[in-house]
Amino acid sequence: MKKLKVYSCCGHDTVVKRVYCPSCGANEISEREVEDKGSIYSFTKIHVPPSEFAHLAPYYVALVQLDGTSAKVTARMTEDIAIGDQVELDKVEDGAYLYKSV
Amino acid sequence: MTTNTYIHGIGMTKFGTHEDRTLKDLLLDASRQALEDAGRPKVDAVFVGNFLAGSMSNQEILGAIVANDLGLGFVPTAKVEGACASGGIALRQAVLAVMSGEHDTVLVAGVEKMKHAKTAEVTQAINAAMDTDSSEKSAGLTFPGFFGVLANRYFHETGASKKHLAMVALKNRENAMNNPLAQFSKATSLEEIMNARMITEPLGLFDCSPMTDGAAALVISRKPSGIHIKASSLVSGPTQMQDASDLLSIPAIGESGRRAYEKAGLGPEDIDVVEIHDCFSMTEMIAIEELGFFPRLEGWKAVEKGLTKANGEKPVNTSGGLLSRGHPIGATGVAQIYQLVRQLRGDAANQVEGARIALAQNLGGTGSYSAVHILERV
């Protein structure tokens, strides 16, 4: 249910699905599920949000390095975090990946 | 291949808050200045760079408005949108139109009016330059947020710190203080910049370009002038942070630079003066690396040594840049060229002595577009 999908071709893993591989042009890009766990690659704490997220501020947006793949995913968090912290997917809400510390 | 296009006229309004002036008023003012500077040539086409007039001023058809209200006749016109690179892309479309042989003389203008709206509304409108059908947008990422994430990783991998970003912001403010058209002329200090309120950590208020009203315009032609557009390049890049193969690289900037250098037959060492898209202090740091002025992950050392100051070996943003000259989105790419033409004519704010080759780099989104133009005094 919570599994993330990663798309791979020509050695590039990404959570973004493409029609064709930008390297070789193939239209059959392999797809696999990866673990929900990862570590904080980098992050920011957003104090000035766009109007639709005003009720959440301040909040963290983190780039999570997923375990077992070179792909990363952008996530929202509410806890204080630092680069390298271990995190896991908590839930998917309104299209957003919400992560929490392990 | 170098182009056969030349710049004949430039115009620009003051950047800042224009409460009592409309979008159209600003657009026509800059356009009229450029036409008069060029000696009122017959204009064959118009390209206008703009990003937010539709969403924030309920105004489109900017190309037709320019042609009609200036009295240019039934010439072809178009508005060009490429987020914050709209102005640079408008110039490129004009250069291509001249190179193709379709038009002899083209007016390029850029305009934006943002100060009448609240920050949250503008931030929301600017988010249209993200892939809004993505989990990343749903997570609440913003443009300053992207560069905040990038900055924290840059600090992690290099010896750079918030102080180095503050040095970029301070340099650009000091340049703007000598530019009468710039939005900000008030002196500041490293301490004030580093202690300013946070926007998206580690970026504070002075690390972020402001909301700005303003317009700029150019007249280009196949007929020779003293300013030759030696190269024009444009590339697209990743539209999502989570799709970047290297967070500390903005490949659109690097690739647009490489293509422009190749067309011009020049390298980064040949450039005398630079206008870079410093939408955030962190962006200038990455761009001076991507454009080959300094080694990767070492831009902060150049900043620390003062090499990018107006009197340094590679002067960057002598206008004050987006951070302090201001960033009326669609006008920015055109205003960069305005400053560089003044540099090549020898009458610029923060004049670089003997400047002959100039480079402008205009970014859209988080690296979705990058346009580079190289100008030469001939």
Side-chain angles (χ1 to χ4, degrees):
Chain A
M1 182 63 186
K2 290 194 293 185
K3 294 280 186 195
L4 279 160
K5 277 186 181 162
V6 163
Y7 305 91
S8 310
C9 199
C10 294
H12 180 62
D13 287 7
T14 175
V15 294
V16 175
K17 188 174 186 175
R18 285 192 169 80
V19 177
Y20 306 117
C21 170
S23 294
C24 71
N27 60 3
E28 287 179 16
I29 294 173
S30 78
E31 178 182 320
R32 68 191 161 100
E33 289 186 340
V34 295
E35 290 299 315
D36 295 340
K37 291 182 167 54
S39 59
I40 300 292
Y41 184 78
S42 195
F43 66 96
T44 184
K45 186 175 185 180
I46 295 190
H47 295 263
V48 178
S51 46
E52 71 181 291
F53 295 105
H55 62 290
L56 297 171
Y59 57 89
Y60 287 91
V61 171
L63 188 59
V64 176
Q65 173 64 66
L66 296 168
D67 289 349
T69 166
S70 61
K72 302 182 186 78
V73 69
T74 301
R76 186 164 70 235
M77 296 187 69
T78 53
E79 310 153 86
D80 285 351
I81 45 176
I83 289 175
D85 284 359
Q86 299 296 307
V87 293
E88 67 181 359
L89 184 62
D90 184 19
K91 56 187 169 184
V92 181
E93 192 176 276
D94 297 330
Y97 293 105
L98 307 186
Y99 268 69
K100 61 179 182 183
S101 294
V102 176
Chain B
M1 189 182 81
T2 57
T3 76
N4 56 349
T5 51
Y6 298 83
I7 298 177
H8 285 248
I10 57 174
M12 180 174 160
T13 68
K14 182 172 168 56
F15 280 11
T17 304
H18 290 290
E19 267 177 41
D20 53 347
R21 299 184 68 183
T22 64
L23 180 90
K24 180 167 88 171
D25 184 28
L26 295 168
L27 178 58
L28 295 179
D29 182 3
S31 299
R32 182 189 51 77
Q33 288 183 41
L35 286 171
E36 290 182 7
D37 188 44
R40 292 286 312 280
K42 179 184 173 296
V43 170
D44 303 313
V46 178
F47 290 96
V48 179
N50 175 263
F51 177 50
L52 295 172
S55 58
M56 305 213 59
S57 300
N58 196 34
Q59 179 66 68
E60 296 289 3
I61 65 162
L62 297 178
I65 286 173
V66 169
N68 185 70
D69 286 30
L70 287 175
L72 303 180
F74 296 153
V75 297
T77 67
K79 182 193 89 167
V80 176
E81 186 283 315
C84 304
S86 298
I89 302 175
L91 171 59
R92 176 170 163 81
Q93 293 307 116
V95 168
L96 294 176
V98 171
M99 287 177 76
S100 74
E102 178 78 1
H103 301 303
D104 288 341
T105 300
V106 180
L107 173 65
V108 182
V111 66
E112 213 71 67
K113 193 142 164 58
M114 307 164 71
K115 295 292 284 184
H116 59 290
K118 294 187 175 71
T119 302
E121 292 166 3
V122 175
T123 305
Q124 182 78 30
I126 291 173
N127 264 15
M130 300 178 70
D131 179 348
T132 60
D133 183 8
S134 71
S135 64
E136 185 161 296
K137 181 263 176 188
S138 302
L141 187 65
T142 62
F143 286 95
F146 170 81
F147 286 101
V149 174
L150 203 157
N152 271 330
R153 188 72 199 184
Y154 190 86
F155 294 172
H156 183 76
E157 294 200 16
T158 69
S161 68
K162 186 168 165 61
K163 188 177 177 184
H164 296 93
L165 298 185
M167 288 174 178
V168 172
L170 181 61
K171 166 187 72 74
N172 290 350
R173 174 60 60 90
E174 286 171 350
N175 288 344
M177 288 168 65
N178 297 321
N179 181 356
L181 297 179
Q183 183 166 4
F184 297 124
S185 56
K186 190 166 159 280
T188 183
S189 64
L190 279 183
E191 292 67 35
E192 185 183 19
I193 293 170
M194 290 178 70
N195 293 321
R197 71 183 171 92
M198 283 293 179
I199 304 297
T200 52
E201 293 182 30
L203 305 183
L205 186 63
F206 289 80
D207 292 302
C208 304
S209 53
M211 304 194 305
T212 310
D213 301 335
L218 312 166
V219 174
I220 70 166
S221 176
R222 74 173 61 259
K223 294 172 193 138
S225 78
I227 310 287
H228 179 212
I229 301 176
K230 209 164 166 58
S232 173
S233 75
L234 170 69
V235 303
S236 297
T239 54
Q240 294 186 48
M241 176 172 78
Q242 61 191 353
D243 196 27
S245 48
D246 176 2
L247 180 66
L248 299 185
S249 171
I250 299 180
I253 301 177
E255 182 62 19
S256 59
R258 273 189 292 280
R259 292 187 188 189
Y261 291 138
E262 188 181 331
K263 287 169 198 277
L266 296 170
E269 66 282 2
D270 298 311
I271 308 298
D272 298 320
V273 59
V274 187
E275 288 287 310
I276 267 177
H277 195 96
D278 58 325
C279 46
F280 302 94
S281 52
M282 188 63 228
T283 327
E284 177 166 321
M285 199 80 86
I286 292 291
I288 59 178
E289 298 175 3
E290 288 284 351
L291 293 169
F293 299 132
F294 304 103
R296 294 231 331 119
L297 304 182
E298 291 186 14
W300 61 281
K301 293 181 183 171
V303 169
E304 193 173 74
K305 289 179 191 154
L307 302 182
T308 55
K309 289 185 175 182
N311 61 358
E313 72 175 42
K314 195 62 75 178
V316 174
N317 286 331
T318 60
S319 66
L322 282 60
L323 289 174
S324 276
R325 180 199 57 219
H327 183 28
I329 295 177
T332 286
V334 183
Q336 291 179 321
I337 304 295
Y338 176 95
Q339 173 69 9
L340 294 180
V341 170
R342 295 286 298 265
Q343 284 284 359
L344 299 182
R345 287 179 176 176
D347 66 354
N350 305 297
Q351 180 65 44
V352 172
E353 202 60 42
R356 193 175 69 81
I357 308 276
L359 180 147
Q361 182 269 322
N362 188 198
L363 187 71
T366 56
S368 297
Y369 300 105
S370 179
V372 168
H373 288 89
I374 297 177
L375 312 182
E376 179 185 27
R377 175 164 50 81
V378 292

